[in-house]
Amino acid sequence: MIYISRASLFLFRSALLWREAPPLPHTLLFRFPFFSQSGAVTEAAMYWVTARNAVGFIPRWRSLSFLLKPPLHRSSSPSAPLPLIRRSNHIFCFKERKLYVKPSKKHKQSKIAVEDKDYAHVIWWKEKMQMCRKPSSVLLVKRLTFSNLLGVDTTLKNGSLKEGTLNWEILQFKSKFPREVLLCRVGDFYEAIGTDACILVEYAGLNPFGGLRSDSIPRAGCPVVNLRQTLDDLTRNGFSVCIVEEVQGPTQARTRKSRFISGHAHPGSPYVFGLVGDDHDLDFPEPMPVVGISRSAKGYCMVSVLETMKTYSAEDGLTEEALVTKLRTCRCHHLFLHASLKHNSSGTCRWGEFGEGGLLWGECNARQFEWFDGNPVNELLKKVKELYGLEDDITFRNVTVASENRPSPLHLGTATQIGALPTEGIPCLLKVLLPSNCTGLPIMYVRDLLLNPPAYEIASTIQEACKLMSNITCSVPEFTCVPSAKLVKLLESKETNHIEFCKIKSVLDDILQLYTNSELNEILKLLMDPTWVATGLKVELETLVNECKSVSRRIGEIISLDGENDQKITSHPIIPNEFFEDMESSWKGRVKRIHLEEEFAEVDAAAEALSVAIEEDFLPIISRIRATTAPLGGPKGEILYAREHEAVWFKGKRFAPSVWAGTPGEEQIKQLRPALDSKGKKVGEEWFTTMKVENALTRYHEAGDRAKTKVLELLRGLSAELQTKINILVFASMLLVIAKALFGHVSEGRRRKWVFPTLTQRQRSQNTGTLHGAEGMKITGLSPYWFDAAQGGAVRNDVDMKSLFLLTGPNGGGKSSLLRSICAAALLGICGFMVPAESAIIPHFDSIMLHMKSYDSPADGKSSFQVEMSEIRSIITRASSKSLVLIDEICRGTETAKGTCIAGSVIETLDAISCLGIVSTHLHGIFDLPLRMKSAVFKAMGTELIDNRTMPTWKLIDGICKESLAFETAQREGVPEELIQRAAELYISVYAKDSLRPHDSKLKHFTSPTVHKSNAVTDRRSLPEKECSSVIQPVNTADVLHREVESAVISICQNQLIDLCKKNDLLKPSAIRCVLIGAKEQPPPSTIGVSGVYVMLRPDRKLYIGETDDLQGRVRAHRLKEGMQNASFLYFLVPGKSMACQLETLLINQLPVRGFHLTNLADGKHRNFGTSDILQTEVLVG
């Protein structure tokens, strides 16, 4: 309903009549500004009539235009999209003028247009807006106009881009990083406008400010406390974010706060501003590089650039399958495709039309990408600098690893079929290589090593290091793992807090422990080259050690480390402890007190003054209230901490006396005044303070602020110092990641009873050019990697391969499992790892290729047979005499006759290449073909007759097996009996004459060959006699306790151990040698599967005695208990669990007699002995 005054209605009707009258003279029009020169009623008149005298209960966007018949040339939809016209390198944005907008303002705002340099960015954001799907974000997109980088329609409310406004300031920041979402700090919120607001609504789940009003520009934001979650949502969806912060502190009245770009958040690189003052850790995701793909004469080239690390690598000569594998394992921030990809080997311009490119095109087409030209490396680096807003003089370090003498990266099919890449239904290889508690960076290193096998020298070095790890007897560090990208970003941004500095020091101390320990020193030397390959940094051992000592010492001089208790939180009896805890925990305990003596003194003095002020002004009132005895409704009052206002105030009611008689406390009551917040508003009716208390609070806060500022200055100064040591820190952190991965692998390999293979190298003679050296691969007792051999149940096979195998066997006979097992064992061997066998000799192959079942690819328009032929082509073209080729059931996807001939030709080709490998098949017609083979061997998966039924033995034998067991397999899988019987009838009617019967001489059943067990798993080397000593640990009470316990244990157990060995007819043991496991150390892999007795030295100086066959697991379990994280252990090994139980009971009963306090004293009264057999005599006493 609309109410219009009588005068306004008269003027309105006059205006309607005037529209039909002839034009007025110009002189009259000049005197009456409501009419235009044509005599029409101007928009200003309509606005004046409706806005000045109308009172309506309608939304603001409704106008009185429905009362008028608008001119035809003004009929338009205000929400219609704006057409963009590009002409002569300019963009013109046409939009009908909106009703009731002043012409002068419209004319001024319409001057804003897209600049030439911003045109591509505007189009990029327009494409992003077209991808919005949420109803709320779609409505917001309709209110955008792509005439500026923000997409702000300047004709809408709050859309002004006039210089000096907040929108104009945001636009200036946006122009520096035009393809990043911009979040601007405004008070307690981070706000975004225009296209950025639409992105927040679409991808971060935020609601627009002001709802969905159509008369205002899109605005959205999040509270300060939710910034991290919002950034995670945006980066998870591939967006980069630029964050603008306000300059904190008081500002003059009627002036805008200054703002600055505080940092960026990219996918794989989080926002770190302000982390230096936090007391928690920040999880860093895996860095996401910018990737560029091109094509050269050698093959495909992949350039990967890491902005955080300022590094790049260029891998050339990749196959299509290897390149797709790398893309599958690499979440890239941006993907760029070079123009060279548009011209493939088929000579066509449509990439992926024929031959190569189909698989890669399908992978790239599922991602967002951009095309680029020019030199792939140089142009991609320019793109990276443009994306991240880097200066042109920023340099990137080349970390490309030379591909000479290095095996080819795994093909996609190989990686997925052995579980190097997690694949549904395929046993995961990564899960059996490391213990379940070894995750994160170590498992990523192992995965990358499997996908990109190292050169022979590096593989041999890794294996030698693993062998040493398997035999050491000293405790090993916990290996603090810190992502290299995290180190670099925090130090370069000077946002490293005290927690991260402590981690950095732990990394350096772990390196020093490896160096100073005689057993671990050799391992450290061996790990230098693998670390060089992983980081691209060449560092000498002495340089590494000296720099680690220097940096560790410097951090120790500045940072307050664990165990230092000279910075306790202030405490006063009359002030709530929570107040001092909140005020001082943000800076105390972070740097050493010696650097803050003056600040500590100021804070202590201010805290004392605050306590005195509260005692003088509030305590008399409290005493008066407590002395008053009154029924319900009497006076109340107490001293409380107002957390929101960071103040300690008096809270009370009904405490003022009705009659002022000069009694104690009245003077203090008169001094009370209402407590005010930071904006000068009264907090509440019950909160009071005094001038003296407020002055004391101000003094205390200022002293605390100065102390915190000094702490932040020291932390940032230390970050600046360590920036020159970044390469050393990156190298040290990566070395520990590798050490932890290899120690974990050795521990798991010993538990599974795997062995180290003999790794051989085939070299080319300089004189004759022929290959010599290793001639084949021999694996004894091979078991599937997904079976735990320690638990039994796996069928082991012997593989002696000197040429190509042509493998036949029944369905379910183990052909596919054998191929997977051989592939995994060979891959582990050439990477330097342990293998699931009893013994093995493995050549260092130049490539390992496994092809199994193929699926069709509708996206590429390829059938399963086309996909298989594409993979076969890649295998044939890449295979050499040093390759291992494994093909499972070749040519299963086409008609039998031609498929058999293709398979025969493939076998001939591989045989001519002289590569090692296996080709399995059910195409028995191959044996009737006139194949030209010089060295291929027929192998079969054995079968045997049990109760007149042919059953598989899963053993590899010589010969040919034409029994498929197809009917039996179908029956086991529940196929209806009638269907199987009919199939048997059809088979007899057609193939009975030519089929082989069980007694046919062409089909022979062989007995399983004898599996000779190797001592490679059970043999143990003599343990070094030199005792492992603690590294750089100062002498303290813990060391005294350790020596006392060690001496007591040896004196109690030595004679008893000799008697037990005599009683069990065992060799006389050597002297008991106790090994110390420090607070941040773990047992060596040599303790796995061996019985031992241990003593836990608790932080409270009490002891716990135990025995175990899994010392690593027992130590881990003890340290998970509250307060036991820093517990240390003493242990010694014994030959057998029964003996360990007896010695455990002996220690429990005897140690208290010698004055030691035990927590499990009662365990010595109910022990059962002889619970397991004595281990073999080769297990020596530690």
Side-chain angles (χ1 to χ4, degrees), residues 520-629:
L520 301 178
N521 182 270
E522 292 301 319
I523 295 175
L524 175 62
K525 294 177 181 177
L526 292 172
L527 294 181
M528 297 295 289
D529 283 345
T531 308
W532 159 59
V533 173
T535 61
L537 295 168
K538 191 69 173 177
V539 179
E540 297 297 330
L541 178 60
E542 293 301 323
T543 302
L544 174 66
V545 172
N546 292 334
E547 293 290 354
C548 286
K549 289 180 180 179
S550 172
V551 177
S552 176
R553 182 173 56 252
R554 182 56 181 160
I555 294 176
E557 293 172 353
I558 301 294
I559 303 299
S560 178
L561 305 175
D562 294 339
E564 299 179 2
N565 54 2
D566 58 345
Q567 302 186 38
K568 295 182 179 179
I569 301 297
T570 305
S571 176
H572 285 278
I574 62 174
I575 299 178
N577 292 330
E578 295 84 357
F579 170 73
F580 290 116
E581 180 70 29
D582 290 351
M583 296 302 103
E584 299 179 4
S585 61
S586 61
W587 59 273
K588 278 189 176 180
R590 305 196 176 195
V591 300
K592 290 191 180 298
R593 180 163 182 159
I594 190 175
H595 305 290
L596 299 169
E597 291 295 352
E598 183 178 346
E599 287 74 13
F600 266 92
E602 290 182 5
V603 171
D604 291 342
E608 184 64 30
L610 176 61
S611 176
V612 171
I614 291 176
E615 182 177 359
E616 293 178 352
D617 289 1
F618 292 164
L619 274 189
I621 303 175
I622 300 296
S623 300
R624 176 187 178 89
I625 292 173
R626 292 176 179 174
T628 303
T629 57

Side-chain angles (χ1 to χ4, degrees), residues 1052-1121:
I1052 292 172
C1053 296
Q1054 184 65 63
N1055 294 332
Q1056 182 68 18
L1057 180 61
I1058 295 175
D1059 294 341
L1060 290 174
C1061 289
K1062 289 180 178 180
K1063 186 182 300 183
N1064 293 281
D1065 296 329
L1066 296 177
L1067 295 177
K1068 182 179 178 179
S1070 59
I1072 289 180
R1073 189 170 62 85
C1074 294
V1075 180
L1076 174 67
I1077 304 173
K1080 292 185 177 181
E1081 297 176 344
Q1082 55 186 337
S1086 59
T1087 61
I1088 295 176
V1090 182
S1091 297
V1093 181
Y1094 67 91
V1095 181
M1096 180 172 71
L1097 286 67
R1098 295 159 50 100
D1100 57 4
R1101 298 182 60 82
K1102 293 183 179 180
L1103 307 180
Y1104 178 93
I1105 313 300
E1107 62 81 24
T1108 182
D1109 287 341
D1110 181 14
L1111 187 59
Q1112 284 189 348
R1114 190 64 63 89
V1115 169
R1116 192 182 312 121
H1118 280 301
R1119 285 177 174 168
L1120 288 176
K1121 296 178 181 179

Side-chain angles (χ1 to χ4, degrees), residues 321-322 324-325 328 359 363 410-417 421:
E321 290 80 3
V324 172
T325 305
R328 292 276 178 90
L359 182 63
E363 184 70 23
L410 289 193
H411 287 184
L412 179 62
T414 307
T416 55
Q417 287 300 324
L421 291 179

